[in-house]
Amino acid sequence: MAGAPNSPDMSMGAGKPCIAILGGSFDPVHNGHIALGEYFVDLLAPDELRIIPTGNPWQKHGLQATPQQRVEMVRRAFSRQSVPVRIDQQEIVRASVTYTIDTLQSLRRELGPEVSIVFLMGADQLQHLNTWQGWRELFDHAHLCAASRPGFGMEPANVPNEVMQEFSLRAASPAQIRNTPYGLTYLASNLAVDISATEIREILHNGARPDALVPSGVLDYIEQHHLYKS
């Protein structure tokens, strides 16, 4: 656990525990992941930011860093947050293919029926949400909050109609999300961060340092372990 505890924003009427969930392959973790987490930490004042590195993601193949290397990179990247940070390795230890719905069901069983669980995603994930296993069931276990980035607009032309309908019907304020367990949505259009892990791996493969894209501690770890060189 990293960072100092953060008192919930009483102006939002925060009474129930709130856990923000940030998942990803983190191959490698980069400043876009950090910006997404910090944006919603500022917005929702959760009691914990839980980072969940993927294990065997069904829509991605050929992760280059090992699970423990990705965990260590995440630990370094999120070592200075304003809320407690927990790195949850449940997807890594899971033997089967990783589906988000399984993770959220597991979190709900662990945390109980009253805790507000908020699943964070970028707009690029939102654009393909309807291809996820049991995507409509996600709302039975968590809130879904998405933030845009350049090139990934959240207009109807860029997001599947069925996804936009669900997000429109469930749209809520940060205070409502903070104080109810699940089922609501929030779209943030003012987080302009355009970073991709693919781009970073290519830069590293070419022998350059993506200093503006990756936290220094993570970049040091990548170089020490000669990651993404081939």
Side-chain angles (χ1 to χ4, degrees), residues 19-42:
I19 308 296
I21 307 298
L22 180 60
S25 56
F26 304 120
D27 191 30
V29 63
H30 54 66
N31 291 337
H33 297 127
I34 298 171
L36 179 61
E38 290 181 344
Y39 180 93
F40 282 106
V41 164
D42 290 342

Side-chain angles (χ1 to χ4, degrees), residues 7-223:
S7 300
D9 183 355
M10 299 310 294
S11 66
M12 295 175 63
K16 297 180 180 179
C18 176
I19 308 296
I21 307 298
L22 180 60
S25 56
F26 304 120
D27 191 30
V29 63
H30 54 66
N31 291 337
H33 297 127
I34 298 171
L36 179 61
E38 290 181 344
Y39 180 93
F40 282 106
V41 164
D42 290 342
L43 186 73
L44 299 171
D47 299 281
E48 176 184 287
L49 175 62
R50 187 174 297 202
I51 314 296
I52 306 182
T54 55
N56 182 20
W58 72 281
Q59 287 189 328
K60 289 189 177 182
H61 304 282
L63 297 178
Q64 295 189 30
T66 68
Q68 290 311 312
Q69 286 171 338
R70 292 186 290 120
V71 167
E72 178 59 22
M73 287 189 283
V74 166
R75 186 190 68 78
R76 291 176 177 232
F78 288 92
S79 62
R80 297 180 179 180
Q81 298 298 308
S82 61
V83 297
V85 174
R86 175 178 174 182
I87 302 175
D88 186 331
Q89 299 188 46
Q90 64 170 284
E91 292 192 358
I92 288 174
V93 301
R94 190 179 298 155
S96 59
V97 172
T98 296
Y99 295 114
T100 299
I101 183 60
D102 297 327
T103 299
L104 291 184
Q105 288 173 340
S106 173
L107 289 169
R108 181 54 68 190
R109 288 192 297 269
E110 172 197 341
L111 297 171
E114 297 300 321
V115 172
S116 171
I117 298 177
V118 187
F119 185 78
L120 311 180
M121 62 174 62
D124 53 331
Q125 294 173 299
L126 184 65
Q127 289 176 314
H128 302 98
L129 182 62
N130 61 334
T131 69
W132 292 17
Q133 179 83 5
W135 73 274
R136 292 184 189 274
E137 297 176 38
L138 301 175
F139 297 105
D140 296 333
H141 305 284
H143 306 298
L144 270 64
C145 291
S148 68
R149 73 184 200 192
F152 291 95
M154 293 187 291
E155 298 79 14
N158 297 314
V159 179
N161 186 57
E162 57 187 332
V163 173
M164 286 304 302
Q165 286 182 345
E166 286 290 342
F167 265 71
S168 296
L169 288 171
R170 299 172 180 274
S173 68
Q176 290 172 314
I177 289 171
R178 184 65 173 74
N179 289 286
T180 54
Y182 58 87
L184 303 177
T185 63
Y186 186 90
L187 295 178
S189 60
N190 56 344
L191 181 63
V193 178
D194 188 16
I195 305 173
S196 77
T198 302
E199 173 191 6
I200 293 168
R201 291 194 297 268
E202 183 176 349
I203 293 172
L204 290 164
H205 179 72
N206 292 330
R209 281 179 57 96
D211 293 278
L213 307 178
V214 179
S216 59
V218 174
L219 190 53
D220 290 343
Y221 182 85
I222 289 172
E223 294 185 334

